[in-house]
Amino acid sequence: MDLEARAHSAHPETLRLWLRLLTCTQLIEKQVRTGLREEFNTTLPRFDLMAQLEREPQGMKMNDLSRRMMVTSGNITPVTDQLVKEGLIERVSLPDDRRAWLIRLTPKGRTQFKKMAKRHETWIVQAFETLSTQEVKNLHTLLGRVKQHSNSYAEST
């Protein structure tokens, strides 16, 4: 039984909406995970790490990378180690901080990520293809308002 099925008409509409959003997120994420595994023999955490590095061509320190990914350094260290071993990313020592490393995509990693990112985009577009362009814009705007309110609420508590 999925999350939505647990809610019924006695529950507030907002709770049912939340469960619908969560279900959609889980279904789309499952499709992306499957696609990454089947087409690229990789995982979503590896893709996410490479996506962060692709946005910062000069590289990132491990602590900045873990903060941006909202996980601990301990969670990304094994992923980083494997990507280094495969030649997709590299560690570069920092002359001004001998305890820190700069992590960045290698040319091979950048090429591989571009292929994965193109397919990722296709999967996401396909997930929303039943919506019109205007419906996508409206949903984006409405969820933006929820995000803004949630951020404001989180900051005030």
Side-chain angles (χ1 to χ4, degrees), residues 12-156:
E13 189 71 27
T14 51
L15 176 60
R16 292 184 309 184
L17 173 61
W18 163 245
L19 294 173
R20 172 75 47 95
L21 286 169
L22 192 55
T23 299
C24 288
T25 299
Q26 290 171 339
L27 289 170
I28 294 168
E29 185 175 303
K30 183 179 179 183
Q31 292 169 337
V32 169
R33 285 179 187 278
T34 299
L36 287 170
R37 184 179 58 254
E38 290 176 356
E39 292 188 35
F40 299 100
N41 193 31
T42 196
T43 64
L44 188 55
R46 288 165 52 107
F47 175 84
D48 288 343
L49 188 144
M50 292 175 75
Q52 294 303 322
L53 294 176
E54 195 273 334
R55 292 180 185 104
E56 301 290 341
Q58 75 282 2
M60 298 177 71
K61 288 183 181 178
M62 269 302 249
N63 60 346
D64 294 332
L65 184 58
S66 65
R67 190 172 22 257
R68 190 174 298 173
M69 293 181 69
M70 295 185 278
V71 296
T72 66
S73 292
N75 286 349
I76 62 171
T77 297
V79 176
T80 302
D81 291 345
Q82 189 60 40
L83 291 170
V84 168
K85 187 187 281 187
E86 294 173 24
L88 299 173
I89 65 173
E90 63 185 349
R91 289 186 178 101
V92 179
S93 60
L94 295 170
D96 57 330
D97 186 351
R98 293 164 41 140
R99 296 173 296 149
W101 294 91
L102 197 64
I103 309 298
R104 64 183 177 207
L105 287 173
T106 62
K108 176 183 174 183
R110 192 166 301 285
T111 299
Q112 179 69 9
F113 177 76
K114 285 180 182 178
K115 292 175 189 173
M116 290 189 295
K118 188 160 185 60
R119 289 297 291 141
H120 178 272
E121 181 179 308
T122 300
W123 299 323
I124 300 304
V125 168
Q126 288 172 344
F128 290 94
E129 68 187 359
T130 61
L131 301 178
S132 71
T133 301
Q134 190 57 52
E135 288 170 328
V136 169
K137 287 179 184 178
N138 291 345
L139 185 55
H140 187 263
T141 298
L142 293 170
L143 290 174
R145 287 174 36 199
V146 172
K147 178 183 174 185
Q148 184 177 9
H149 173 74
S150 296
N151 280 338
S152 298
Y153 180 77
E155 291 171 2
S156 68

